[in-house]
Amino acid sequence: MFLIFIIVFSFLTAKKNILVCTRKSRLYGNVNLRESSKPSVFRDLTKKEIAGILDYLYNRSDLNLTTADKAAINSNYIFSSEIFLPPKRDVLKHLDTHCVQPKREARVMILRGGISTPDVIEIIVSPLPNPTGYRHVPYLPKSIPFIDRPIDVFDYNFTPLLEQIDKVVGKILNELYGGRLVNCGDRCLVFNLNSQLTTLLSGVRKRLWFSWLYQFTEYFLLRPVDFAVLREVDNNGNNTIIKIWFNGLLFNSLEEIVPYYNTYKEYINKIPFPTNAEKNDKTISSRGEPSFKIPLKDPSQVSPDGVRYNINDRHVSYSYWEFDIGMSVFYGPRLYDIRYKGERIAYEISLQELANFYSGDKPQEHVLNYLDSMYKIGARAKYLHPGVDCPNDATFISSSFKVDTQDEPMTNERAFCIFEHNTGMPLRRHNGYFRYIHRFYEGVANVVLIVRTIPTIDIYDYIIDFIFYQNGAIEVKITPTGIVTSSWHTHDNPYSFQVDKNLMSPLHQHLFNFKIDLDIKGTSNRFQTVDIEPDVVENVCHKKPGSTIVQNRFIKRLKQTELEAAYKFNFDYPKVLTFVNNNKKDRFGNSPGYKLINKGMTKFMRPPKDGNNPAVSWSQYQLAVTKYKDSEPYSSSVYTHSDNPVFSFQEFIDDNENIVDKDLVAWVTMGMHHLVQKEDLPVTHTPGQSHSTFLIPFNYFDESPGMSVGNAVRIDAVDVNGKTKVAIKRYGTKSDVNCIPKKTYYDEILKKNPCLAVEC
């Protein structure tokens, strides 16, 4: 009894000494997320600026705009707006010589369905926050065909088409699949908007597939039935049915299906609508025997001295790093003016495109291709959940946009999260010894800063990380997860395994493109490869005179033009990809630079001019290097979704400009072939899915700047009277942790504000 008392007393006494971790330094942990009254040159549009843009444009009689709540496909309406950056030279002049900040401007897309020949225009509205004029975006056509517009709310208005289908074959679909397309109650059959990469017809029509009909219950995208529709859409949003896929066959009209069904219905596979008991088999909820017999909390990250970064509006500083955060409504996350130890390493690192190209044994799968920028990647980056998507002590940053569905700014409260992360891997370590005389251990934990966002584009979630290391390295990482595209399975084929009853998921290739505008000690940079080649040398150790041995050597090869710098990886010719400033030299004659390591390389094997492939011409190269131009801000375009795109990235390369000692931009492509397996159901898990590109100092510093990390430990052996003792050096940082994480109230917060987690 006395022993129990002692244990309990000791526990209570110890518990009194355990504190909740709080910020202890005035230098760090200063987080101010309020919109600045004087936003920086890179800052996304503020709510005040969006209001000023709308007030100005709605009062322009020449534009004849309709407000979002009254917009129709045959009216003129604002589709989107975002910040339009000044010329780079003006921005650098402002940043580096403290000249006046260039005026802030907005890029606005207007869909003009209300004019005689409908089109799309993009204009620059200026100055903010109180505009007085506008001009056309200089590097785009002044008028873009209306049929090339991005997907908008009116593309989902296909009720007349559903009524047409239901009127003719609704009874058949109900007999086979247990539901209807209209007036269906809780037994609905639905189409998902698919295959937006299309063939254009006469400039005013396009063809696209409703790839599959689904039984609408959780999770409906894993419950396709054997029915699909090829439709033709005109500028007014009118749909004409061209072909129907049913029971493994193509039909020219709905009416053709009726006699076919009446003749063969006893041979057609029926799929009853899932019952309540059956609905659970494809839901995304934890199930099965738990891996731990009793519920135990996961390990949790703790910051004993509070967070060690500062945020002012959208400007982040951490250790020796500084940068600005932004979000493009179409193309997603972007970082600007990335500096290490005060020197700019990159002017911009940004996502450019997320693409998917499918293959299959059905005609609708032949053209099942996606460019996710059309779905507004940035606008769909939201709903980050503490404790899962980001650590509980992460800082969340919002984004705001003007989108087509509303005039009030659409605000995503949790577009980004920022947090420090102990990777569990040493940044460096060494255990040294030499004949018992020189014995020591030295190492330091690899703690990084991560900027994360997770856009969800229909079925896929993309975890996008920008990771900053304490040795001057940067990692750009992307990890896909989410739901796989499903298809009706009838027989063995070379495009998919059967993963469930009547279910397959076609082979597809993910493609990710990033822009990296490097400025290594200025804007005069060159791209050169360090090629590793075999080298035959004399083997003087061999007893036979004249013997040789093969080793490796490197040769530096400067790339003179953009076509020379369009890089396709060849394992037979390994090389290191470097960007250097030849105008700067160290005492050994080395040019400072950064090397680019693409750990997520993929080969896009489709012919560059076939089908929709011109829309993703950047995918032909694991790396392309071009001369910087203000008129080439993106590698992709929301107008490239056809086999005759308005714009092609290949144009950036084909002018073949000289790139020696110029301002250079690296366009990096990563990706993967996804051969779907049963374990991808009901949702793809993340292990093995990550792809990264690294930027690593290359003769930039005299030694690794990681040597200055203060949280290192060195342990030296000291012999005293024949016994080994140790001297431990912690460099001023205590090793003890005597605090616990703050209590989280996330569930209570969600109950008060559910819009943080789900669509409201």
Side-chain angles (χ1 to χ4, degrees), residues 18 56-57 115 118 143 145 166 234 267 308-309 391 606:
I18 298 176
Y56 168 73
L57 293 177
I115 62 176
S143 175
D166 193 79
D234 65 16
Y267 304 105
R308 300 189 298 177
Y309 50 80
R606 304 186 184 208

Side-chain angles (χ1 to χ4, degrees), residues 45 53 57 77-82 107-111 122-123 150 329-330 376 401-404 639:
L45 295 178
I53 292 165
L57 293 177
Y77 59 97
I78 299 171
F79 187 76
S80 68
S81 65
E82 62 182 6
R107 178 173 176 170
V108 180
M109 182 188 295
I110 297 175
L111 274 56
E122 289 204 43
I123 58 175
V329 63
F330 288 111
K376 305 189 195 83
F401 308 101
K402 162 66 182 96
V403 294
D404 52 321
Y639 309 117

Side-chain angles (χ1 to χ4, degrees), residues 487-545:
S487 176
W488 180 266
H489 182 272
T490 55
H491 54 78
D492 287 345
N493 63 79
Y495 306 103
S496 174
F497 296 108
Q498 182 172 359
V499 293
D500 204 344
K501 186 178 180 180
N502 305 313
L503 186 66
M504 60 177 273
S505 180
L507 170 69
H508 56 283
Q509 186 172 12
H510 290 280
L511 298 165
F512 320 120
N513 191 250
F514 287 85
K515 176 183 182 180
I516 302 178
D517 179 1
L518 287 162
D519 286 352
I520 306 300
K521 292 188 178 290
T523 57
S524 177
N525 293 168
R526 53 176 56 185
F527 173 56
Q528 64 183 20
T529 61
V530 182
D531 298 0
I532 312 298
E533 298 181 351
D535 182 32
V536 181
V537 297
E538 183 182 0
N539 184 1
V540 298
C541 298
H542 201 280
K543 62 182 180 180
K544 184 179 179 180

Side-chain angles (χ1 to χ4, degrees), residues 334-384:
R334 50 194 183 185
L335 304 186
Y336 288 110
D337 198 23
I338 300 112
R339 299 181 184 227
Y340 184 76
K341 291 193 172 184
E343 292 191 349
R344 184 176 300 109
I345 305 300
Y347 180 73
E348 176 185 355
I349 301 178
S350 59
L351 177 66
Q352 297 293 296
E353 189 60 272
L354 305 170
N356 280 296
F357 275 63
Y358 287 81
S359 303
D361 62 345
K362 307 171 190 70
Q364 58 269 41
E365 292 161 358
H366 301 164
V367 291
L368 189 58
N369 305 319
Y370 293 90
L371 292 182
D372 287 346
S373 61
M374 290 194 61
Y375 289 103
K376 305 189 195 83
I377 294 172
R380 291 174 180 262
K382 48 188 173 180
Y383 307 140
L384 295 176

